[in-house]
Amino acid sequence: MSQVEFADVQGLVRFGYGHLTEASYALVRVKNVAAAKAWLHSTRVTDAAKSPTNTAINIAFTAPGLRALGISESVIAGFSHEFRAGMAQESRARQLGDVGNNAPSNWAWGSYGCEPHAVVMFFGKPEQFGFFVQSTKGTPWSDAFEEVTSLGTSNLDEHEPFGFKDGISQPQIDWEQRRQTPCTQLEYTNIVALGEFLLGYRNEYGKITDRPLLEPDSASAELLAANDAPTKKDLGRNGTYLVMRELEQDVRKFWQFLHQQAAGNIEEARQLGA
């Protein structure tokens, strides 16, 4: 059983950054491949070795984004079907219930063929957040990327938009890999196998999720070896999948519905909502 190389894991997976109450998500498309690669190479991504004090930056790529950066189809084919297909593909949209008014053609961003290539996630404390974002982007940013949109956030003081306490039930990742898999445990626990979050480790079924395994050569020399295939280089190891969706929530209609169901009883409506 191998130890987790925290310096190779993006910090968001381990820490969540709840203490960094300002955040923005820049959804970008590659405009100039050379400039984009140069910016990515020069940017210090926050890893999971130590919780950041004031600021953090993490980056996620879509399958079209990997193609735009020149990653071969044979390598991309090693990732999961869901990642390669994306959410806007017609059959995938039906599976997710994205039909009618919610169809991808009505989305503000991310429709099929127009997906962002990457999302650059900035986190920080309010007093220095603006400077951190601008200084991290720097002058090369506009040469490298076309910014599709930038999604801001609001500090709701640990409550979600409908007013309820947020973050109460959270899975605990088994970083020490003590959990026995495949799991036959019937008692409830919030401890979850590491492989449910990180590629290259065993999940709750005792399986290691598919990801690109490469032949050793000069291009893959710095990659870690695969736990389940030591002669191969594991491109996915210590990586994870991230789902990002922008939703519209009608708080007023939500509470109107609950009050109708509770026949006007305020306390019962709150209990229904919870």
Side-chain angles (χ1 to χ4, degrees):
M1 183 182 300
S2 63
Q3 298 293 317
V4 178
E5 299 86 4
F6 286 116
D8 195 48
V9 179
Q10 296 210 51
L12 182 62
V13 184
R14 187 181 185 191
F15 301 119
Y17 306 146
H19 64 294
L20 303 178
T21 55
E22 289 287 327
S24 68
Y25 303 85
L27 280 65
V28 301
R29 290 178 64 86
V30 174
K31 184 163 61 175
N32 181 294
V33 176
K37 287 183 176 180
W39 187 89
L40 291 167
H41 183 74
S42 66
T43 300
R44 185 174 181 179
V45 174
T46 306
D47 62 42
K50 181 181 179 181
S51 179
T53 303
N54 297 310
T55 60
I57 178 173
N58 287 134
I59 304 173
F61 298 96
T62 62
L66 295 181
R67 293 188 184 96
L69 290 170
I71 305 300
S72 69
E73 288 297 330
S74 61
V75 172
I76 295 174
F79 289 106
S80 72
H81 167 73
E82 291 81 2
F83 173 74
R84 289 182 281 113
M87 288 186 288
Q89 185 191 53
E90 184 178 356
S91 61
R92 186 71 178 153
R94 287 199 304 269
Q95 293 171 12
L96 296 172
D98 293 327
V99 296
N101 291 335
N102 297 322
S105 58
N106 296 321
W107 291 356
W109 54 268
S111 58
Y112 189 64
C114 300
E115 302 96 333
H117 289 160
V119 54
V120 183
M121 299 168 277
F122 300 93
F123 306 89
K125 292 185 176 179
E127 58 272 15
Q128 53 195 162
F129 183 69
F131 174 77
F132 167 65
V133 172
Q134 292 306 315
S135 61
T136 302
K137 287 182 176 180
T139 304
W141 174 270
S142 59
D143 296 327
F145 305 111
E146 171 196 354
E147 197 162 310
V148 177
T149 189
S150 181
L151 303 176
T153 58
S154 299
N155 183 5
L156 299 181
D157 194 25
E158 298 185 353
H159 286 72
E160 47 81 67
F162 294 113
F164 297 102
K165 182 74 173 177
D166 199 13
I168 295 175
S169 178
Q170 295 287 356
Q172 181 179 338
I173 302 176
D174 181 23
W175 294 105
E176 292 78 24
Q177 302 176 72
R178 296 174 180 172
R179 187 168 175 78
Q180 296 297 316
T181 58
C183 181
T184 57
Q185 179 177 324
L186 298 179
E187 294 182 6
Y188 170 79
T189 176
N190 66 341
I191 299 176
V192 181
L194 181 61
E196 294 291 332
F197 292 88
L198 285 192
L199 297 176
Y201 301 88
R202 298 198 180 278
N203 59 22
E204 289 288 314
Y205 298 99
K207 306 293 185 181
I208 298 181
T209 306
D210 290 341
R211 70 275 181 220
L213 300 181
L214 310 180
E215 295 293 338
D217 57 23
S218 58
S220 63
E222 295 185 8
L223 295 177
L224 297 168
N227 284 327
D228 54 338
T231 62
K232 303 283 188 179
K233 293 291 188 175
D234 194 340
L235 179 62
R237 181 167 165 178
N238 293 323
T240 190
Y241 289 116
L242 172 72
V243 177
M244 178 167 286
R245 292 172 67 92
E246 185 178 9
L247 305 177
E248 181 179 7
Q249 297 175 313
D250 194 324
V251 176
R252 182 182 295 274
K253 285 188 177 180
F254 173 77
W255 282 107
Q256 286 176 344
F257 172 79
L258 292 181
H259 279 282
Q260 289 173 358
Q261 299 304 307
N265 186 310
I266 296 177
E267 184 58 34
E268 186 175 339
R270 288 175 177 171
Q271 292 178 1
L272 284 173

